[in-house]
Amino acid sequence: MTPLTTGLATTTPLTTPPTIEDGAELWRIARGSGELDLNSPYSYLLWCRDFADTTTVARDDSGRPIGFVTGYLRPDRPDTLFVWQIAVEGSHRGSGVAGTLLDALSAQVAAEHRISRVEATVTPGNLASDRLFRSFARRHGAEVTQEVLFPASAFPTAGHESEVLYRIGPLGSPRR
């Protein structure tokens, strides 16, 4: 893991699979993100139970969740990890936690499932996520391609931006 600046001290965040008890905290972090489509608290509890092997949580020194990344293996492409949501508590944003989470999750899933690609969707206005996924691709020596997966017109309510699919791969060994 890479040392991160969290507040005044430099620490290495602990990344672990989630527990069911983390579900409420993941919902709280997602709600506070201001970017994510917020799911029900129930869905975060289920995610922590049913997709713990493709999810990881960053924790502060006391063990409290400060960020998470959820994902799943695509049923039609089991070599592809789809990143569903990634969020970091406001006080820890900009300190590298999201990148650490993404690296940890991809390594964790690759060790068990031999993934060669990561996918995620990003709205055009979400520059932080764009930078995150491009940086991840650079660290892993991978190409990034983009295409609109879900146009704004596909959503049932007005005001939702299109979701652009980022395809990252093939993944190489991480570089620092």
Side-chain angles (χ1 to χ4, degrees):
M1 286 186 241
T2 304
L4 301 175
T5 303
T6 54
L8 299 176
T10 300
T11 63
T12 301
L14 175 65
T15 58
T16 65
T19 64
I20 291 173
E21 292 75 23
D22 292 328
E25 287 294 300
L26 272 56
W27 178 83
R28 179 189 59 76
I29 294 166
R31 185 185 65 195
S33 76
E35 291 288 336
L36 297 178
D37 289 335
L38 186 63
N39 298 297
S40 73
Y42 177 72
S43 70
Y44 291 92
L45 292 168
L46 281 176
W47 201 276
C48 288
R49 185 191 76 166
D50 294 343
F51 295 99
D53 63 335
T54 55
T55 296
T56 196
V57 177
R59 300 176 188 281
D60 66 12
D61 294 337
S62 71
R64 186 179 63 82
I66 59 168
F68 70 89
V69 59
T70 59
Y72 62 87
L73 293 173
R74 287 203 38 208
D76 61 335
R77 291 192 172 166
D79 68 331
T80 301
L81 171 66
F82 185 86
V83 174
W84 181 284
Q85 288 189 323
I86 187 163
V88 175
E89 195 172 72
S91 63
H92 294 275
R93 287 189 198 130
S95 64
V97 173
T100 297
L101 281 164
L102 200 50
D103 287 343
L105 181 62
S106 65
Q108 170 188 317
V109 176
E112 292 186 32
H113 300 285
R114 293 186 169 167
I115 62 165
S116 62
R117 299 189 180 280
V118 170
E119 292 182 348
T121 61
V122 177
T123 56
N126 190 338
L127 300 179
S129 288
D130 176 77
R131 285 190 301 270
L132 171 68
F133 288 111
R134 288 184 186 284
S135 176
F136 173 82
R138 279 191 303 278
R139 285 193 306 278
H140 293 268
E143 298 290 322
V144 178
T145 62
Q146 295 172 252
E147 66 183 74
V148 173
L149 180 63
F150 301 119
S153 62
F155 291 92
T157 57
H160 197 295
E161 289 185 270
S162 295
E163 292 282 349
V164 177
L165 178 65
Y166 283 50
R167 285 191 173 122
I168 304 167
L171 300 176
S173 296
R175 305 184 278 226
R176 292 285 166 188

